[in-house]
């Protein structure tokens, strides 16, 4: 039994600050949260914030092998399969090199307070197995979204696509697609149908660039987000360049949105109109995207996001809403909550939080603006 005492606890889905103690049992369950509770080993959190650990909701951890390569290249030159420099590097890397690079990135994420990450895993079934091997003995939970080369092209063999999906879903947590530029509508629909039947996640990049949006409209008379909603994807990533009624359709859909603003900036594809999205009631998640472009540091991601969005919208965005994107929004998103068990700080939940030095009177801005890795004193 342990008690985390005297800390400022960010409780529940809303991250409500309360000066209370947290009692944890020997199975790492939160038994009580109150001002007076004191049992077992006492861990003094005076002057500190007790915050849920983070979920990095979008990574490509495989490209840890080519950090900071390709600077100045276009989005397609960097990451479009199968000829982007990332995919060429992944094809030429040996297994041990990939595993070592992915392990290093996972330890980085753990030390930065991340408990879960959603990874778009290239390399088919073997890619899934390599990430699982790399994750052994690291106290972090990878949520692995796989893909297969049979999905690509206008003349995909739908029987082969179904066979590949069945094999992938036996070992992966879902399917994560590069985008509609590489697959046809039928493949997208098959993937969503099979993932839903298996209780797994279906995810796709959409509207990352304006060029992608224009190409989709020209080809199908629909935007990429509209096609994703029609197909039934659980999660869409980016939507940096919404068109027409994309934002309102998102708010009415069952799809979760993950944003990656630092990546969008690095790739010169724009900045998502987050203020307009938040006004509709959408509760996004946040991710750092390709490790070749960004460190997987969500403190950096949140600070960049908060400040760039306020600058563009010229309006107020509450810091707590940005922090929720990295912590508790996944728990209220109906398309993902049943598929990702990400605890928050409440009685009955697993104790999965970190203790952070409080550097200002505003706990949310203290975390977003001022926390460095050495400010994390304990990770549970």
């Amino acid at each position: 039994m342990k008690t985390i005492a005297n800390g400022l606890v960010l409780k529940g889905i809303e991250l409500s600050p309360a000066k209370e103690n947290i009692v944890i049992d020997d199975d790492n369950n939160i038994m009580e949260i109150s001002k007076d509770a004191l049992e077992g080993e006492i861990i003094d959190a005076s002057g500190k914030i007790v915050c849920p650990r983070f979920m990095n909701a979008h990574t490509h951890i495989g490209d840890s092998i080519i950090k900071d390569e390709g600077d100045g290249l276009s989005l397609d030159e960097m990451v479009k399969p199968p000829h982007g420099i990332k995919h060429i590097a992944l094809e030429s890397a040996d297994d041990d090199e990939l595993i070592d690079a992915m392990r290093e990135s996972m330890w980085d994420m753990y030390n930065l307070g991340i408990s879960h990450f959603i990874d778009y895993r290239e390399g088919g079934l073997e890619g899934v197995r390599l990430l699982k091997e790399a994750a052994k003995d690291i106290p972090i939970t990878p949520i692995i979204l796989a893909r297969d080369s049979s999905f690509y092209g206008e003349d995909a063999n739908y029987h082969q696509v179904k066979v590949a999906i069945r094999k992938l879903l036996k070992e992966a947590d879902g399917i994560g697609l590069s985008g509609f530029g590489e697959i046809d509508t039928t493949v997208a629909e098959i993937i969503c149908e099979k993932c839903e039947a298996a209780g797994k996640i279906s995810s796709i990049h959409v509207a990352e660039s304006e060029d992608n949006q224009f190409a989709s409209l020209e080809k199908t008379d629909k935007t990429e987000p509209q096609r994703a909603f029609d197909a039934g994807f659980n999660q869409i990533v980016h939507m940096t360049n919404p068109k027409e009624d994309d934002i309102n359709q998102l708010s009415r859909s069952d799809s979760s949105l993950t944003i990656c603003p630092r990546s969008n900036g690095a790739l010169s594809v724009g900045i998502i109109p987050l203020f307009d999205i938040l006004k509709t009631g959408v509760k996004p998640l946040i991710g750092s995207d390709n490790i070749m472009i960004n460190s997987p540091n969500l403190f950096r991601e949140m600070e960049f996001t908060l400040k760039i969005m306020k600058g563009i919208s010229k309006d107020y965005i509450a810091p707590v809403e940005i922090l929720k994107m990295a912590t508790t929004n996944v728990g209220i998103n109906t398309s993902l909550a049943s598929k990702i068990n990400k605890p928050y700080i409440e009685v009955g939940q697993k104790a999965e939080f970190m203790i952070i030095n409080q550097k200002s009177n505003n706990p949310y801005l203290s975390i977003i603006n001022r926390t460095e890795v050495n400010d994390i004193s304990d990770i549970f």
Side-chain angles (χ1 to χ4, degrees):
M1 196 81 76
K2 294 185 178 72
T3 299
I4 314 301
N6 307 315
L8 184 65
V9 180
L10 302 185
K11 289 175 57 177
I13 291 286
E14 295 301 320
L15 302 178
S16 303
K19 199 74 173 288
E20 294 186 304
N21 300 341
I22 305 173
V23 179
I24 308 167
D25 69 14
D26 294 335
D27 294 320
N28 207 39
N29 298 306
I30 297 175
M31 301 300 295
E32 184 178 352
I33 303 175
S34 73
K35 291 181 179 179
D36 301 320
L38 281 173
E39 294 183 58
E41 178 189 355
I42 307 300
I43 298 171
D44 186 14
S46 298
K48 302 180 189 296
I49 302 166
V50 185
C51 177
R53 287 170 64 190
F54 298 151
M55 182 173 78
N56 191 332
H58 188 63
T59 65
H60 294 266
I61 196 171
D63 53 38
S64 300
I65 57 171
I66 50 170
K67 295 172 183 171
D68 296 329
E69 293 189 20
D71 184 49
L73 297 180
S74 69
L75 175 65
D76 285 356
E77 289 171 323
M78 291 278 276
V79 299
K80 185 175 181 178
H83 302 303
I85 65 166
K86 176 180 85 167
H87 296 277
I88 294 170
L90 290 173
E91 286 292 327
S92 61
D94 64 45
D95 289 354
D96 288 341
E97 182 184 8
L98 277 171
I99 287 171
D100 288 346
M102 289 191 292
R103 284 184 64 81
E104 181 180 1
S105 290
M106 280 186 274
W107 278 117
D108 284 346
M109 285 195 279
Y110 172 78
N111 289 323
L112 287 160
I114 293 168
S115 62
H116 294 66
F117 66 100
I118 302 177
D119 193 69
Y120 267 50
R121 186 78 274 269
E122 299 85 356
L125 198 56
E126 182 60 20
V128 175
R129 291 170 176 167
L130 286 174
L131 178 48
K132 287 186 172 182
E133 177 66 26
K136 283 183 178 178
D137 304 320
I138 300 178
I140 196 168
T141 301
I143 297 145
I144 305 172
L145 306 186
R147 63 178 72 165
D148 187 82
S149 59
S150 67
F151 300 162
Y152 302 142
E154 294 297 325
D155 56 350
N157 182 310
Y158 299 140
H159 172 69
Q160 290 181 0
V161 168
K162 291 175 184 177
V163 171
I165 293 169
R166 283 198 293 270
K167 290 179 179 179
L168 290 174
L169 292 184
K170 285 181 180 179
E171 297 205 30
D173 300 293
I175 304 293
L177 299 176
S178 177
F180 281 108
E182 292 77 53
I183 63 164
D184 70 22
T185 299
T186 301
V187 169
E189 291 171 346
I190 291 170
I191 286 168
C192 291
E193 177 189 345
K194 298 299 182 185
C195 286
E196 185 64 25
K200 300 290 181 84
I201 298 167
S202 57
S203 184
I204 189 168
H205 298 77
V206 297
E208 187 171 3
S209 73
E210 279 201 313
D211 287 346
N212 291 348
Q213 284 281 68
F214 293 142
S216 181
L217 284 164
E218 182 177 352
K219 182 178 178 180
T220 68
D221 205 33
K222 291 183 179 180
T223 66
E224 288 193 330
Q226 288 167 354
R227 294 167 70 186
F229 304 144
D230 288 347
F233 282 95
N234 299 137
Q235 182 191 46
I236 61 171
V237 180
H238 294 305
M239 209 172 85
T240 314
N241 295 279
K243 302 292 183 189
E244 300 184 346
D245 198 38
D246 286 343
I247 292 176
N248 287 325
Q249 286 199 31
L250 171 66
S251 70
R252 298 191 297 266
S253 77
D254 292 325
S255 295
S256 168
L257 171 66
T258 293
I259 65 170
C260 308
R262 278 192 304 159
S263 172
N264 298 156
L267 291 168
S268 304
V269 295
I271 298 295
I272 187 171
L274 181 61
F275 186 76
D276 294 334
I277 290 170
L278 293 176
K279 285 194 300 185
T280 69
V282 169
K283 301 288 186 181
L285 310 180
I286 196 166
S288 58
D289 206 355
N290 298 83
I291 291 179
M292 68 184 288
I293 299 168
N294 289 318
S295 75
N297 186 330
L298 289 188
F299 295 106
R300 283 189 178 185
E301 196 73 42
M302 289 189 293
E303 182 175 11
F304 178 87
T305 300
L306 178 64
K307 292 175 179 176
I308 199 75
M309 297 311 167
K310 289 173 76 172
I312 288 172
S313 67
K314 298 180 181 177
D315 213 324
Y316 180 73
I317 296 176
V320 66
E321 296 303 323
I322 303 296
L323 185 58
K324 286 177 187 177
M325 294 177 193
T327 53
T328 59
N329 275 358
V330 65
I332 60 173
N333 192 297
T334 55
S335 66
L336 294 181
S338 63
K339 300 175 178 66
I340 300 174
N341 182 21
K342 170 73 172 65
Y344 50 94
I345 302 177
E346 195 59 86
V347 172
Q349 296 278 317
K350 282 289 182 184
E352 193 172 84
F353 50 74
M354 53 187 156
I355 302 176
I356 304 170
N357 293 332
Q358 184 168 358
K359 296 180 142 185
S360 73
N361 290 331
N362 185 317
Y364 310 121
L365 287 177
S366 178
I367 291 171
I368 293 170
N369 281 347
R370 304 182 189 279
T371 298
E372 305 292 345
V373 65
N374 59 2
D375 288 311
I376 303 174
S377 62
D378 291 279
I379 296 174
F380 289 83

